[in-house]
Amino acid sequence: MIYTIEAENYRIELGSLQESSFEYFMNVNYPNSRKIILVDENTNEHCLEYLLTSYSFLSNAEVIVLPQGEENKVMDICMQVWETWSEYGFERQDVLINLGGGVITDMGGFIASLYKRGIDFVNIPTSLLAMVDASIGGKTGVDLGSYKNQIGLFVNPKAVFIDPGFIHSLPEGEVFNGFAEMLKHGLALNEGHWNELVTMIDVVKEINEEHIYNSLLLKNTIVLEDPFESDLRKKLNFGHTIGHALEGYFFENDPISHGYAVALGILAESYISFKRNYLTLSEFSQIEKVLLMHYFPIDLSNESLNEIYQLMKNDKKNKNGEIKCVLLISIGQSVINKTISELEIIDSLEYLNRLFLEAKKD
Ligand code: GLY
């Protein structure tokens, strides 16, 4: 079965790629275009062959392999790709297929949108994170040093084909990266989604198409209402104000994954929500219990706290120098544009560290 979701001006299909309209879509829209496939080292090894052997219309596709990992989501790599495309003589009517996780769909969309003022691109996400979040909604871009997604554009793909079978092309731990974003959708937007996720004990085994569909639907509904994040879409940044700063802080020495950083950000921002009496103790305890079941807390030294705070001061979500955050008022309901103070931030980071010290004792 194929689930179909209508997005802003494109369609998302969820289900086996073979059963989807991928081939039909490409043949109808790009019969004479050259096809470029963007992969990273991992999807080159584990996913590309499946695509190439399944579709004869891709037999002449040019494959561009990018080095793997968030540290390569930078302008230098984009420059290299643009130079290669220029040498190969790709033209404006050619089309890019992004086959990969969030780094590939974010970066591929960005590269395509600027090349010759924009060529079309189609996303085939291979990680859970890209399936439920990065591949839809039109956010594309690259990082700038420790600052995530500082350079980028809102540009929609022409179509997104989500085949959950690809999840197993990645190490099991990778599933938790995407699961954090799904928990975020539940907490910030819909209690029912949260409730269906928290019953899972073995996420890798239990996650299914329906969970992915429900998460996608929540994100897509918000994006349809506020595509350029002037208001409602900010709710999707829950867990990311502190999460991005943690990711940026660890980036230089001992990088942590985006999903793990978001999970920690969810804990810290739920803690602030609780401290403000927005969340009851029982709601906060449930969130803490669920998050700690899947994510081990992190060691934050006293010296790191101020550095993390300084990173937050440069967050692109800030306004008039104030640090803005999404907070929870109950499970499934959030409020945007809440100014959080230095004291609250440091307190929440100390809370994360207490969790680490307690977990280490056990
Ligand atoms: N990842 C959050 C958003 O797309 O708005």
Side-chain angles (χ1 to χ4, degrees):
M1 168 181 172
I2 298 289
Y3 293 86
T4 307
I5 298 175
E6 293 303 329
E8 213 185 338
N9 45 11
Y10 62 100
R11 171 180 280 210
I12 304 163
E13 288 186 25
L14 168 67
S16 153
L17 192 62
Q18 302 268 9
E19 288 171 33
S20 77
S21 70
F22 173 58
E23 184 164 14
Y24 175 79
F25 176 86
M26 294 300 287
N27 287 336
V28 168
N29 292 290
Y30 306 103
N32 303 314
S33 307
R34 289 170 75 189
K35 286 41 173 211
I36 314 163
I37 304 176
L38 193 70
V39 288
D40 66 13
E41 292 151 338
N42 181 64
T43 51
N44 184 37
E45 195 180 331
H46 298 292
C47 309
L48 182 65
E49 195 181 329
Y50 171 70
L51 207 66
L52 296 181
T53 53
S54 305
Y55 299 104
S56 55
F57 75 91
L58 292 176
S59 57
N60 292 325
E62 297 289 351
V63 176
I64 307 281
V65 186
L66 299 191
Q68 198 172 322
E70 185 76 32
E71 63 276 22
N72 294 303
K73 196 177 157 188
V74 291
M75 279 301 274
D76 276 358
I77 303 276
C78 299
M79 285 301 299
Q80 289 172 32
V81 175
W82 286 318
E83 275 160 19
T84 308
W85 287 7
S86 193
E87 271 166 36
Y88 285 10
F90 289 128
E91 295 175 353
R92 205 189 244 174
Q93 74 273 11
D94 295 334
V95 59
L96 172 70
I97 298 168
N98 291 317
L99 179 69
V103 172
I104 287 292
T105 59
D106 277 15
M107 221 170 145
F110 178 73
I111 293 170
S113 312
L114 290 172
Y115 183 72
K116 300 206 170 174
R117 298 209 173 86
I119 66 168
D120 287 357
F121 65 98
V122 169
N123 286 337
I124 303 182
T126 57
S127 69
L128 182 61
L129 186 138
M131 291 179 190
V132 296
D133 191 12
S135 71
I136 65 159
K139 282 189 179 175
T140 70
V142 292
D143 301 337
L144 194 61
S146 304
Y147 298 105
K148 296 264 304 166
N149 304 321
Q150 288 284 301
I151 314 288
L153 304 162
F154 283 102
V155 191
N156 284 322
K158 292 297 170 198
V160 181
F161 297 95
I162 301 174
D163 183 340
F166 280 122
I167 291 176
H168 305 294
S169 66
L170 290 165
E172 286 195 351
E174 189 58 37
V175 168
F176 291 95
N177 233 337
F179 192 62
E181 298 286 1
M182 294 173 80
L183 292 172
K184 174 200 80 178
H185 288 160
L187 285 171
L189 304 173
N190 186 289
E191 189 182 7
H193 188 44
W194 167 259
N195 287 339
E196 72 177 346
L197 298 178
V198 299
T199 56
M200 278 188 237
I201 310 271
D202 186 338
V203 177
V204 178
K205 285 210 180 94
E206 291 173 60
I207 195 102
N208 63 31
E209 269 182 16
E210 210 175 310
H211 300 131
I212 296 175
Y213 176 74
N214 291 338
S215 228
L216 263 175
L217 209 56
L218 286 169
K219 169 155 183 182
N220 190 54
T221 307
I222 290 279
V223 172
L224 281 175
E225 279 192 55
D226 178 21
F228 300 113
E229 199 175 294
S230 37
D231 187 44
L232 208 59
R233 184 168 179 171
K234 290 182 185 168
K235 291 190 174 190
L236 297 177
N237 294 327
F238 174 60
H240 284 63
T241 300
I242 293 178
H244 271 165
L246 289 167
E247 196 177 353
Y249 173 76
F250 286 100
F251 178 75
E252 298 291 340
N253 301 313
D254 192 8
I256 58 174
S257 71
H258 177 68
Y260 178 45
V262 168
L264 297 169
I266 289 176
L267 275 167
E269 293 173 22
S270 299
Y271 174 82
I272 296 175
S273 308
F274 165 60
K275 282 290 182 184
R276 285 194 180 194
N277 290 325
Y278 293 177
L279 282 179
T280 63
L281 176 61
S282 111
E283 288 169 325
F284 173 61
S285 304
Q286 193 199 13
I287 296 170
E288 187 183 75
K289 186 168 155 231
V290 170
L291 270 290
L292 291 181
M293 195 166 127
H294 303 297
Y295 304 90
F296 198 83
I298 202 156
D299 187 5
L300 295 173
S301 65
N302 271 345
E303 306 82 73
S304 71
L305 307 190
N306 190 46
E307 238 177 280
I308 295 167
Y309 171 69
Q310 293 305 326
L311 282 171
M312 287 173 66
K313 281 174 79 175
N314 216 347
D315 192 290
K316 59 186 177 312
K317 298 182 283 296
N318 295 351
K319 222 171 166 191
N320 305 328
E322 292 181 333
I323 297 176
K324 298 288 179 190
C325 191
V326 181
L327 295 176
L328 298 181
I329 48 171
S330 67
I331 289 180
Q333 278 190 295
S334 50
V335 281
I336 59 172
N337 294 334
K338 289 289 170 190
T339 304
I340 50 172
S341 68
E342 179 173 357
L343 220 63
E344 284 179 303
I345 292 163
I346 299 292
D347 185 31
S348 73
L349 295 174
E350 283 171 350
Y351 155 73
L352 286 185
N353 205 41
R354 282 198 300 280
L355 288 179
F356 172 76
L357 296 173
E358 279 160 31
K360 214 173 70 164
K361 265 197 284 173
D362 296 340

